[in-house]
Amino acid sequence: MNPVRSERPDMPRTEPSPSRRRLLQGLPVTERTVQLDGVSTALWEGGEGPPLILLHGQGGSAAAWIPVIPRLAAARRLIIPDLPGLGESVINRGEIDAERATAWLRALIAQTCDEPPTLAGISLGGTFAAHFAVRRGRACRQVVLIDSGSLAPFRPDPRVLPALIRLAVRPSDRNVERLFRHTVVDLDRFKALMGRKWPDFLAYGRERAATPSVQAANRQLLRRLGTRQIPEPDLRRIEAPMALIWGRHDRVMKLRIAEAASARFGWPLQVLEDSGHACCWDQPDAFANALHAAMAGSAPMSALADRARPESGL
């Protein structure tokens, strides 16, 4: 069982959809809701070891990390929030910009971590992590940017934006899959990896895409954070150790962005072969090993891989 609980018994809580509840079943995490800087934040937690905060991308939720949760929970204590306004998280006041994103993450760390965590963010989650590193880098052990936004001008493959627009205008299973085809190298392989969870994963993505508050949050986050480049002088003053993980065939944030950042700032870069923008979907084992390698001072993931690997079909 994976109970969903609130931080306080009297805290109002809208129950997640049945599809989300089924997605949570069998994973080594539980769900709760905490209040963080005016955001009612749903988060998944589980595992043992030093804290690792995983931040998902645009339009996603904590469920985006399902393929790698069992692979990481044996060696790390995982904190996996829904970003403000997305998934089951609700923005109760104001808008989310870089300062607010930093305040939200600072509150998350204060409530969930008893030591500085590693922040790992993919796409928009990488934007959140990078802004936090600029402003509060000493509060985290390390920052890992994965196919991250905001390191360069936002210029995705021309085929990506029409897929985003179609999903925003007409949320449907077909349009969710159309977008996924631009984020993974092989959608059929990803479906097979998700196994029996695939129908609920697809349904939950469609449900969220059709939710007005989520639509509004997506527009806000894209406009105020996702499409804005962080100035180079700000990136140069980051004090936290930084690392990059990138899919070689990323159509949304091209590999050349990571190569340029690595050369300019000296951040180590690991490139995952046969992977696109959602590299943790394309190659979950390689991704887990790359993330572990980027995190200093932990036991080799290879020693834990066999007992952490989930059964076929999740």
PDB file of all heavy atoms in Angstrom, residues 28 44 47 53 55 60 88 114 127 138 140 143 150 155 164 176 180 184 212 221 232-234 305:
ATOM      1  N   PRO A  28       8.259   2.135  -4.088  1.00  0.00           N
ATOM      2  CA  PRO A  28       8.766   2.267  -2.712  1.00  0.00           C
ATOM      3  C   PRO A  28       8.691   3.707  -2.195  1.00  0.00           C
ATOM      4  O   PRO A  28       9.637   4.222  -1.596  1.00  0.00           O
ATOM      5  CB  PRO A  28      10.211   1.795  -2.848  1.00  0.00           C
ATOM      6  CG  PRO A  28      10.600   2.200  -4.228  1.00  0.00           C
ATOM      7  CD  PRO A  28       9.363   1.993  -5.065  1.00  0.00           C
ATOM      8  N   TRP A  44       6.150  12.785  -3.387  1.00  0.00           N
ATOM      9  CA  TRP A  44       6.405  11.379  -3.114  1.00  0.00           C
ATOM     10  C   TRP A  44       7.728  11.267  -2.382  1.00  0.00           C
ATOM     11  O   TRP A  44       8.696  11.963  -2.725  1.00  0.00           O
ATOM     12  CB  TRP A  44       6.469  10.573  -4.404  1.00  0.00           C
ATOM     13  CG  TRP A  44       5.168  10.469  -5.145  1.00  0.00           C
ATOM     14  CD1 TRP A  44       3.967  11.014  -4.787  1.00  0.00           C
ATOM     15  CD2 TRP A  44       4.945   9.769  -6.378  1.00  0.00           C
ATOM     16  NE1 TRP A  44       3.008  10.706  -5.712  1.00  0.00           N
ATOM     17  CE2 TRP A  44       3.572   9.936  -6.708  1.00  0.00           C
ATOM     18  CE3 TRP A  44       5.749   9.027  -7.235  1.00  0.00           C
ATOM     19  CZ2 TRP A  44       3.000   9.387  -7.853  1.00  0.00           C
ATOM     20  CZ3 TRP A  44       5.189   8.475  -8.392  1.00  0.00           C
ATOM     21  CH2 TRP A  44       3.830   8.650  -8.681  1.00  0.00           C
ATOM     22  N   GLY A  47      12.731   5.479   0.161  1.00  0.00           N
ATOM     23  CA  GLY A  47      14.132   5.121   0.037  1.00  0.00           C
ATOM     24  C   GLY A  47      14.938   5.502   1.257  1.00  0.00           C
ATOM     25  O   GLY A  47      14.439   6.140   2.190  1.00  0.00           O
ATOM     26  N   ILE A  53      16.541  15.172  -4.311  1.00  0.00           N
ATOM     27  CA  ILE A  53      15.303  15.782  -4.769  1.00  0.00           C
ATOM     28  C   ILE A  53      15.252  15.688  -6.287  1.00  0.00           C
ATOM     29  O   ILE A  53      16.171  16.157  -6.975  1.00  0.00           O
ATOM     30  CB  ILE A  53      15.197  17.247  -4.314  1.00  0.00           C
ATOM     31  CG1 ILE A  53      15.108  17.315  -2.782  1.00  0.00           C
ATOM     32  CG2 ILE A  53      13.983  17.930  -4.944  1.00  0.00           C
ATOM     33  CD1 ILE A  53      15.078  18.731  -2.226  1.00  0.00           C
ATOM     34  N   LEU A  55      13.226  16.711  -9.705  1.00  0.00           N
ATOM     35  CA  LEU A  55      12.306  17.725 -10.203  1.00  0.00           C
ATOM     36  C   LEU A  55      11.957  17.411 -11.656  1.00  0.00           C
ATOM     37  O   LEU A  55      12.835  17.368 -12.520  1.00  0.00           O
ATOM     38  CB  LEU A  55      12.947  19.118 -10.108  1.00  0.00           C
ATOM     39  CG  LEU A  55      13.416  19.538  -8.704  1.00  0.00           C
ATOM     40  CD1 LEU A  55      14.207  20.836  -8.785  1.00  0.00           C
ATOM     41  CD2 LEU A  55      12.227  19.681  -7.757  1.00  0.00           C
ATOM     42  N   GLY A  60       4.561  17.904 -16.480  1.00  0.00           N
ATOM     43  CA  GLY A  60       4.656  16.581 -15.890  1.00  0.00           C
ATOM     44  C   GLY A  60       4.219  16.544 -14.443  1.00  0.00           C
ATOM     45  O   GLY A  60       3.470  17.397 -13.952  1.00  0.00           O
ATOM     46  N   GLU A  88      -0.538  17.324  -8.774  1.00  0.00           N
ATOM     47  CA  GLU A  88      -1.535  17.609  -7.741  1.00  0.00           C
ATOM     48  C   GLU A  88      -1.189  18.852  -6.929  1.00  0.00           C
ATOM     49  O   GLU A  88      -1.890  19.167  -5.959  1.00  0.00           O
ATOM     50  CB  GLU A  88      -1.670  16.412  -6.795  1.00  0.00           C
ATOM     51  CG  GLU A  88      -2.011  15.103  -7.472  1.00  0.00           C
ATOM     52  CD  GLU A  88      -3.372  15.133  -8.164  1.00  0.00           C
ATOM     53  OE1 GLU A  88      -4.314  15.707  -7.592  1.00  0.00           O
ATOM     54  OE2 GLU A  88      -3.469  14.589  -9.279  1.00  0.00           O
ATOM     55  N   ASP A 114      17.239  16.729   6.329  1.00  0.00           N
ATOM     56  CA  ASP A 114      18.009  17.044   7.529  1.00  0.00           C
ATOM     57  C   ASP A 114      19.478  17.273   7.216  1.00  0.00           C
ATOM     58  O   ASP A 114      20.297  17.422   8.119  1.00  0.00           O
ATOM     59  CB  ASP A 114      17.845  15.951   8.583  1.00  0.00           C
ATOM     60  CG  ASP A 114      18.232  14.572   8.058  1.00  0.00           C
ATOM     61  OD1 ASP A 114      18.772  14.485   6.941  1.00  0.00           O
ATOM     62  OD2 ASP A 114      17.990  13.580   8.771  1.00  0.00           O
ATOM     63  N   THR A 127      15.573  23.964 -14.816  1.00  0.00           N
ATOM     64  CA  THR A 127      15.496  25.422 -14.667  1.00  0.00           C
ATOM     65  C   THR A 127      15.311  25.809 -13.202  1.00  0.00           C
ATOM     66  O   THR A 127      15.986  26.706 -12.692  1.00  0.00           O
ATOM     67  CB  THR A 127      14.337  25.977 -15.518  1.00  0.00           C
ATOM     68  OG1 THR A 127      14.632  25.783 -16.903  1.00  0.00           O
ATOM     69  CG2 THR A 127      14.122  27.461 -15.249  1.00  0.00           C
ATOM     70  N   ARG A 138      24.701  27.110  -1.717  1.00  0.00           N
ATOM     71  CA  ARG A 138      25.303  26.505  -0.522  1.00  0.00           C
ATOM     72  C   ARG A 138      24.322  25.646   0.250  1.00  0.00           C
ATOM     73  O   ARG A 138      24.718  24.883   1.135  1.00  0.00           O
ATOM     74  CB  ARG A 138      25.859  27.602   0.388  1.00  0.00           C
ATOM     75  CG  ARG A 138      27.072  28.323  -0.200  1.00  0.00           C
ATOM     76  CD  ARG A 138      27.647  29.308   0.797  1.00  0.00           C
ATOM     77  NE  ARG A 138      28.844  29.968   0.281  1.00  0.00           N
ATOM     78  CZ  ARG A 138      29.555  30.850   0.965  1.00  0.00           C
ATOM     79  NH1 ARG A 138      29.187  31.178   2.201  1.00  0.00           N
ATOM     80  NH2 ARG A 138      30.619  31.408   0.432  1.00  0.00           N
ATOM     81  N   CYS A 140      22.584  23.250  -1.003  1.00  0.00           N
ATOM     82  CA  CYS A 140      22.488  21.908  -1.567  1.00  0.00           C
ATOM     83  C   CYS A 140      23.885  21.306  -1.715  1.00  0.00           C
ATOM     84  O   CYS A 140      24.880  22.008  -1.812  1.00  0.00           O
ATOM     85  CB  CYS A 140      21.754  21.899  -2.908  1.00  0.00           C
ATOM     86  SG  CYS A 140      22.356  23.065  -4.119  1.00  0.00           S
ATOM     87  N   VAL A 143      24.131  19.946  -7.661  1.00  0.00           N
ATOM     88  CA  VAL A 143      23.032  20.144  -8.597  1.00  0.00           C
ATOM     89  C   VAL A 143      23.349  19.396  -9.881  1.00  0.00           C
ATOM     90  O   VAL A 143      24.434  19.562 -10.452  1.00  0.00           O
ATOM     91  CB  VAL A 143      22.791  21.641  -8.888  1.00  0.00           C
ATOM     92  CG1 VAL A 143      21.720  21.817  -9.958  1.00  0.00           C
ATOM     93  CG2 VAL A 143      22.399  22.381  -7.609  1.00  0.00           C
ATOM     94  N   SER A 150      16.888  26.755 -19.810  1.00  0.00           N
ATOM     95  CA  SER A 150      17.423  28.035 -19.323  1.00  0.00           C
ATOM     96  C   SER A 150      18.932  28.189 -19.416  1.00  0.00           C
ATOM     97  O   SER A 150      19.481  29.182 -18.956  1.00  0.00           O
ATOM     98  CB  SER A 150      16.965  28.302 -17.877  1.00  0.00           C
ATOM     99  OG  SER A 150      15.560  28.382 -17.827  1.00  0.00           O
ATOM    100  N   ARG A 155      15.092  27.059 -28.252  1.00  0.00           N
ATOM    101  CA  ARG A 155      14.906  26.848 -29.685  1.00  0.00           C
ATOM    102  C   ARG A 155      14.792  25.348 -29.971  1.00  0.00           C
ATOM    103  O   ARG A 155      15.718  24.720 -30.481  1.00  0.00           O
ATOM    104  CB  ARG A 155      16.080  27.443 -30.474  1.00  0.00           C
ATOM    105  CG  ARG A 155      16.139  28.973 -30.394  1.00  0.00           C
ATOM    106  CD  ARG A 155      17.419  29.517 -30.961  1.00  0.00           C
ATOM    107  NE  ARG A 155      17.517  30.961 -30.795  1.00  0.00           N
ATOM    108  CZ  ARG A 155      18.642  31.662 -30.870  1.00  0.00           C
ATOM    109  NH1 ARG A 155      19.804  31.027 -31.095  1.00  0.00           N
ATOM    110  NH2 ARG A 155      18.639  32.972 -30.713  1.00  0.00           N
ATOM    111  N   LEU A 164       3.083  20.487 -28.714  1.00  0.00           N
ATOM    112  CA  LEU A 164       2.677  21.121 -27.460  1.00  0.00           C
ATOM    113  C   LEU A 164       1.357  21.853 -27.609  1.00  0.00           C
ATOM    114  O   LEU A 164       0.477  21.776 -26.752  1.00  0.00           O
ATOM    115  CB  LEU A 164       3.765  22.103 -27.002  1.00  0.00           C
ATOM    116  CG  LEU A 164       4.995  21.527 -26.307  1.00  0.00           C
ATOM    117  CD1 LEU A 164       6.077  22.598 -26.187  1.00  0.00           C
ATOM    118  CD2 LEU A 164       4.631  20.983 -24.926  1.00  0.00           C
ATOM    119  N   VAL A 176      -1.258  13.273 -26.394  1.00  0.00           N
ATOM    120  CA  VAL A 176      -0.223  12.989 -25.397  1.00  0.00           C
ATOM    121  C   VAL A 176       0.875  12.136 -26.035  1.00  0.00           C
ATOM    122  O   VAL A 176       2.064  12.415 -25.896  1.00  0.00           O
ATOM    123  CB  VAL A 176      -0.818  12.278 -24.172  1.00  0.00           C
ATOM    124  CG1 VAL A 176       0.311  11.815 -23.241  1.00  0.00           C
ATOM    125  CG2 VAL A 176      -1.765  13.199 -23.412  1.00  0.00           C
ATOM    126  N   PHE A 180       4.905  12.748 -26.627  1.00  0.00           N
ATOM    127  CA  PHE A 180       5.907  11.806 -26.126  1.00  0.00           C
ATOM    128  C   PHE A 180       6.860  11.359 -27.235  1.00  0.00           C
ATOM    129  O   PHE A 180       8.033  11.077 -26.967  1.00  0.00           O
ATOM    130  CB  PHE A 180       5.222  10.582 -25.517  1.00  0.00           C
ATOM    131  CG  PHE A 180       4.615  10.820 -24.158  1.00  0.00           C
ATOM    132  CD1 PHE A 180       3.826   9.846 -23.553  1.00  0.00           C
ATOM    133  CD2 PHE A 180       4.822  12.006 -23.475  1.00  0.00           C
ATOM    134  CE1 PHE A 180       3.269  10.052 -22.304  1.00  0.00           C
ATOM    135  CE2 PHE A 180       4.261  12.229 -22.223  1.00  0.00           C
ATOM    136  CZ  PHE A 180       3.491  11.244 -21.641  1.00  0.00           C
ATOM    137  N   VAL A 184      11.038  10.982 -26.462  1.00  0.00           N
ATOM    138  CA  VAL A 184      11.777   9.728 -26.366  1.00  0.00           C
ATOM    139  C   VAL A 184      12.228   9.301 -27.758  1.00  0.00           C
ATOM    140  O   VAL A 184      11.651   9.711 -28.764  1.00  0.00           O
ATOM    141  CB  VAL A 184      10.936   8.602 -25.724  1.00  0.00           C
ATOM    142  CG1 VAL A 184      10.593   8.934 -24.284  1.00  0.00           C
ATOM    143  CG2 VAL A 184       9.672   8.328 -26.529  1.00  0.00           C
ATOM    144  N   PRO A 212      -7.975  22.979 -16.139  1.00  0.00           N
ATOM    145  CA  PRO A 212      -7.725  24.416 -16.358  1.00  0.00           C
ATOM    146  C   PRO A 212      -6.614  24.996 -15.498  1.00  0.00           C
ATOM    147  O   PRO A 212      -5.803  25.790 -15.993  1.00  0.00           O
ATOM    148  CB  PRO A 212      -9.082  25.055 -16.032  1.00  0.00           C
ATOM    149  CG  PRO A 212     -10.078  23.984 -16.353  1.00  0.00           C
ATOM    150  CD  PRO A 212      -9.417  22.701 -15.951  1.00  0.00           C
ATOM    151  N   LEU A 221       4.504  29.024 -16.171  1.00  0.00           N
ATOM    152  CA  LEU A 221       5.856  28.518 -15.971  1.00  0.00           C
ATOM    153  C   LEU A 221       6.681  28.599 -17.244  1.00  0.00           C
ATOM    154  O   LEU A 221       7.878  28.904 -17.200  1.00  0.00           O
ATOM    155  CB  LEU A 221       5.797  27.074 -15.462  1.00  0.00           C
ATOM    156  CG  LEU A 221       5.214  26.894 -14.059  1.00  0.00           C
ATOM    157  CD1 LEU A 221       5.005  25.412 -13.765  1.00  0.00           C
ATOM    158  CD2 LEU A 221       6.125  27.518 -13.004  1.00  0.00           C
ATOM    159  N   GLU A 232      24.680  34.461 -18.318  1.00  0.00           N
ATOM    160  CA  GLU A 232      25.947  33.770 -18.064  1.00  0.00           C
ATOM    161  C   GLU A 232      26.634  34.248 -16.791  1.00  0.00           C
ATOM    162  O   GLU A 232      27.160  33.409 -16.044  1.00  0.00           O
ATOM    163  CB  GLU A 232      26.886  33.933 -19.262  1.00  0.00           C
ATOM    164  CG  GLU A 232      28.206  33.212 -19.082  1.00  0.00           C
ATOM    165  CD  GLU A 232      29.069  33.231 -20.325  1.00  0.00           C
ATOM    166  OE1 GLU A 232      28.510  33.284 -21.435  1.00  0.00           O
ATOM    167  OE2 GLU A 232      30.311  33.186 -20.188  1.00  0.00           O
ATOM    168  N   PRO A 233      26.664  35.553 -16.480  1.00  0.00           N
ATOM    169  CA  PRO A 233      27.301  35.962 -15.212  1.00  0.00           C
ATOM    170  C   PRO A 233      26.663  35.303 -13.991  1.00  0.00           C
ATOM    171  O   PRO A 233      27.368  34.992 -13.019  1.00  0.00           O
ATOM    172  CB  PRO A 233      27.117  37.481 -15.195  1.00  0.00           C
ATOM    173  CG  PRO A 233      26.999  37.862 -16.634  1.00  0.00           C
ATOM    174  CD  PRO A 233      26.251  36.734 -17.280  1.00  0.00           C
ATOM    175  N   ASP A 234      25.338  35.075 -14.034  1.00  0.00           N
ATOM    176  CA  ASP A 234      24.680  34.394 -12.917  1.00  0.00           C
ATOM    177  C   ASP A 234      25.139  32.946 -12.811  1.00  0.00           C
ATOM    178  O   ASP A 234      25.416  32.439 -11.710  1.00  0.00           O
ATOM    179  CB  ASP A 234      23.159  34.441 -13.087  1.00  0.00           C
ATOM    180  CG  ASP A 234      22.591  35.831 -12.890  1.00  0.00           C
ATOM    181  OD1 ASP A 234      23.327  36.713 -12.389  1.00  0.00           O
ATOM    182  OD2 ASP A 234      21.412  36.044 -13.221  1.00  0.00           O
ATOM    183  N   ALA A 305      22.303  -2.438  -8.256  1.00  0.00           N
ATOM    184  CA  ALA A 305      21.403  -2.464  -9.405  1.00  0.00           C
ATOM    185  C   ALA A 305      20.488  -3.678  -9.402  1.00  0.00           C
ATOM    186  O   ALA A 305      19.291  -3.564  -9.658  1.00  0.00           O
ATOM    187  CB  ALA A 305      22.207  -2.425 -10.704  1.00  0.00           C
TER     188      ALA A 305
END
